[in-house]
């Protein structure tokens, strides 16, 4: 029953986003350029709506000094800190009896860690991930070439 509610809720959210995006192109005889421009406007409206809707939540979680450019990185790092602290608490014998306490303590550690982390440190944390992505994007064509050559030989 719970999974059915989740599927229905997900479908309703999808339809709401779908209607918001495509409501801007609901006129007849538009060219392809006009349709793509209208779709871009619809996507921008959805993103602006999400920003204004979630702004109070982000301010409460990350503090008022968190900039818009680091919000996405802060959310991902928050999940990473939560997962790592949950795994660490799961290994200890002290919290093993009550799972709710593990979840609450992990959430507190993650939120406090992200709330008082300055934006400059977020940029420093993201630097190795950018370097790794660049290295992968440079090496990927060579790996694909090696794969085809190796498969061609065998």
């Amino acid at each position: 029953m719970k999974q059915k509610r989740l599927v229905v809720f997900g479908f309703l959210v999808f339809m709401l986003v779908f209607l918001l995006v495509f409501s801007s192109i609901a006129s007849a005889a538009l060219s392809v350029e006009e349709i793509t421009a209208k779709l871009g406007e619809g996507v921008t409206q959805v993103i602006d709506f999400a920003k204004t809707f979630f702004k109070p939540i982000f301010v409460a979680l990350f503090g008022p000094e968190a900039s818009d450019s680091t919000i996405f990185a802060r959310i991902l790092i928050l999940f990473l800190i939560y997962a790592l602290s949950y795994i660490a608490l799961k290994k200890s014998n002290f919290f093993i009896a009550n799972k709710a306490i593990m979840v609450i303590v992990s959430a507190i550690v993650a939120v406090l860690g992200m709330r008082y982390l300055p934006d400059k440190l977020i940029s420093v944390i993201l630097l190795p991930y950018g370097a790794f992505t660049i290295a992968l994007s440079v090496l990927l064509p060579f790996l694909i070439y090696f794969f085809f050559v190796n498969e061609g030989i065998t």
Side-chain angles (χ1 to χ4, degrees):
M1 185 70 168
K2 196 173 192 180
Q3 189 175 12
K4 186 176 180 182
R5 284 184 182 174
L6 186 64
V7 169
V8 169
F9 178 72
F11 179 74
L12 289 175
V13 168
F14 172 76
M15 289 305 296
L16 177 68
V17 170
F18 183 79
L19 288 174
L20 283 173
V21 169
F22 287 104
S23 66
S24 61
I25 60 168
S27 63
L30 292 176
S31 68
V32 174
E33 292 83 15
E34 292 171 332
I35 290 174
T36 55
K38 296 281 187 177
L39 278 175
E41 290 173 14
V43 170
T44 304
Q45 288 173 353
V46 169
I47 291 171
D48 289 339
F49 170 75
K51 274 184 175 178
T52 57
F53 183 77
F54 290 114
K55 182 80 171 178
I57 297 169
F58 292 150
V59 167
L61 283 177
F62 303 131
E65 68 277 349
S67 67
D68 287 342
S69 63
T70 61
I71 289 292
F72 185 68
R74 283 182 179 269
I75 293 169
L76 292 179
I77 294 172
L78 177 88
F79 287 135
L80 185 65
I81 292 173
Y82 174 80
L84 291 176
S85 62
Y86 184 81
I87 289 170
L89 289 175
K90 199 174 182 182
K91 298 279 183 186
S92 72
N93 293 331
F94 186 69
F95 292 107
I96 199 75
N98 198 345
K99 188 176 179 181
I101 292 178
M102 282 194 311
V103 170
I104 292 170
V105 170
S106 298
I108 289 171
V109 167
V111 168
L112 285 177
M114 287 311 302
R115 183 168 177 86
Y116 298 108
L117 198 63
D119 281 344
K120 289 184 180 181
L121 196 55
I122 296 287
S123 300
V124 171
I125 290 171
L126 294 178
L127 190 63
Y129 294 107
F132 179 69
T133 304
I134 291 170
L136 274 182
S137 63
V138 167
L139 293 176
L140 190 62
F142 294 111
L143 291 174
I144 293 171
Y145 176 74
F146 174 74
F147 174 75
F148 283 120
V149 168
N150 190 25
E151 288 296 316
I153 291 174
T154 57

